[in-house]
Amino acid sequence: MEIIITKSYEEMSQLAAQMISRQLLKKPSSVLGLATGSTPVGTYKQLVRLHKEEGLDFSKVTTFNLDEYLDLAPSHDQSYRYFMDQNLFNHINVDARRVHVPYGHAENVEQFCEWYEAEMRRAGGIDLQILGIGGDGHIAFNEPGSSLGSRTRLKTLTKQTIEDNARFFKHEDEVPRFAITMGVGTIMEAKEIILLANGAKKADIIAEAIEGPITAQVSASVLQMHPHVTVLLDAEAGSKLKRADYYRWVFEEKKRLIPRMIGKMT
Ligand code: GLP
């Protein structure tokens, strides 16, 4: 795991966008795994800027989103489909036929989930997966207790997640209780993963996920087993890490002593 504690949300977002941009330059037909939530908004802004100002090309890219609320219409302003259109897809040249967001109105959820998994396989698997982290350690909507080998399926949200996400709805009662989500096992098959977290509210759970034991009670902790994860944090989210000084030192040393590695990280 490479842990990079940046100074600010802006720096974190810039770094994430640069890493995605490098991936697209290396492989224009990359398959990207995308996340919603407030955390990646800055990264998507940077990607839109890179597309508009520097011609970053998404025309051959395929995308798969992590999750979607059950029974929210794609046009609902809190659906993840709507979020992705507003924050990214409407502003870049991605081919709509290669954009995948779980369909919250699927009549047969189980069949839909199998199809979603098959589509990911057909696309060759995810090259680079972007993740945020929930207050209870979930990645996508893999709430505590989710099997570390789980696949795309229906999940019931925890009370904490419903409360956390209530800020986006008029009333807590409007927050859906169910979601379709990629599984932990699905996410772990991505070739490379970037986990993003910002703000003091994420400091405790980030410390648990990165420095605590690997447990299904904190889904994000399984990322410790993945061979190619970069954790990008702002200073607040990284503030409870016991080895924060070491991670900062590693980043600085790598930049100073091995200039050719900067390409990988910045
Ligand atoms: C939701 C999403 C997650 C996201 C999390 C954190 O629960 N399903 O993918 O990581 O929210 O949201 P935020 O970035 O707003 O803190």
Side-chain angles (χ1 to χ4, degrees):
M1 255 187 176
E2 181 154 30
I3 295 144
I4 301 177
I5 307 172
T6 62
K7 290 188 188 68
S8 64
Y9 177 72
E10 285 68 33
E11 194 188 348
M12 178 194 86
S13 305
Q14 260 165 27
L15 266 182
Q18 277 168 24
M19 289 177 71
I20 297 166
S21 154
R22 268 172 206 283
Q23 170 67 35
L24 298 193
L25 294 176
K26 197 171 69 184
K27 184 180 172 192
S29 62
S30 288
V31 181
L32 299 179
L34 298 175
T36 52
S38 49
T39 310
V41 169
T43 303
Y44 296 152
K45 273 205 180 105
Q46 288 294 330
L47 287 179
V48 171
R49 188 189 61 75
L50 287 170
H51 169 67
K52 295 211 158 123
E53 290 174 12
E54 294 176 27
L56 183 63
D57 184 19
F58 291 83
S59 64
K60 297 190 174 65
V61 167
T62 299
T63 69
F64 286 93
N65 260 80
L66 286 167
D67 47 11
E68 177 61 286
Y69 290 116
L70 191 74
D71 288 343
L72 275 198
S75 57
H76 189 290
D77 67 359
Q78 290 310 322
S79 77
Y80 285 170
R81 172 74 216 204
Y82 185 88
F83 173 98
M84 290 308 301
D85 287 344
Q86 295 297 314
N87 285 285
L88 187 65
F89 300 147
N90 287 349
H91 312 289
I92 58 172
N93 64 334
V94 70
D95 182 340
R97 289 168 302 181
R98 282 198 281 269
V99 165
H100 305 81
V101 180
Y103 185 53
H105 275 284
E107 248 173 57
N108 185 328
V109 174
E110 214 174 295
Q111 248 175 34
F112 175 82
C113 293
E114 276 168 27
W115 174 83
Y116 205 67
E117 289 271 342
E119 280 297 286
M120 278 184 264
R121 278 195 299 276
R122 218 161 58 89
I126 288 172
D127 292 303
L128 179 59
Q129 174 69 58
I130 308 302
L131 291 178
I133 184 169
D136 59 8
H138 69 231
I139 46 177
F141 268 132
N142 292 287
E143 299 288 32
S146 290
S147 158
L148 299 184
S150 53
R151 313 300 308 185
T152 303
R153 69 210 184 291
L154 188 74
K155 276 301 284 185
T156 311
L157 307 184
T158 61
K159 287 206 170 122
Q160 183 181 340
T161 299
I162 291 167
E163 277 165 29
D164 285 351
N165 291 347
R167 65 198 147 115
F168 300 115
F169 292 80
K170 281 188 208 82
H171 195 271
E172 200 178 301
D173 291 345
E174 285 179 31
V175 187
R177 268 44 182 168
F178 302 97
I180 295 174
T181 179
M182 278 190 208
V184 182
T186 320
I187 293 168
M188 286 295 280
E189 279 172 13
K191 294 172 191 98
E192 183 178 351
I193 296 176
I194 300 174
L195 174 68
L196 298 169
N198 68 290
K201 267 178 76 180
K202 297 286 171 72
D204 285 317
I205 198 65
I206 277 292
E208 267 191 71
I210 292 172
E211 294 179 333
I214 295 171
T215 165
Q217 293 306 313
V218 180
S219 302
S221 67
V222 76
L223 298 174
Q224 294 175 37
M225 299 281 292
H226 192 284
H228 197 174
V229 176
T230 306
V231 182
L232 286 179
L233 307 169
D234 72 350
E236 284 84 25
S239 63
K240 299 265 174 85
L241 287 166
K242 286 201 190 77
R243 295 192 199 281
D245 288 345
Y246 174 63
Y247 308 137
R248 285 199 172 93
W249 185 75
V250 169
F251 189 48
E252 288 310 313
E253 287 300 299
K254 275 186 176 173
K255 277 204 282 194
R256 191 169 64 85
L257 290 180
I258 318 174
R260 67 176 184 270
M261 291 202 66
I262 294 174
K264 187 184 158 257
M265 297 184 300
T266 60

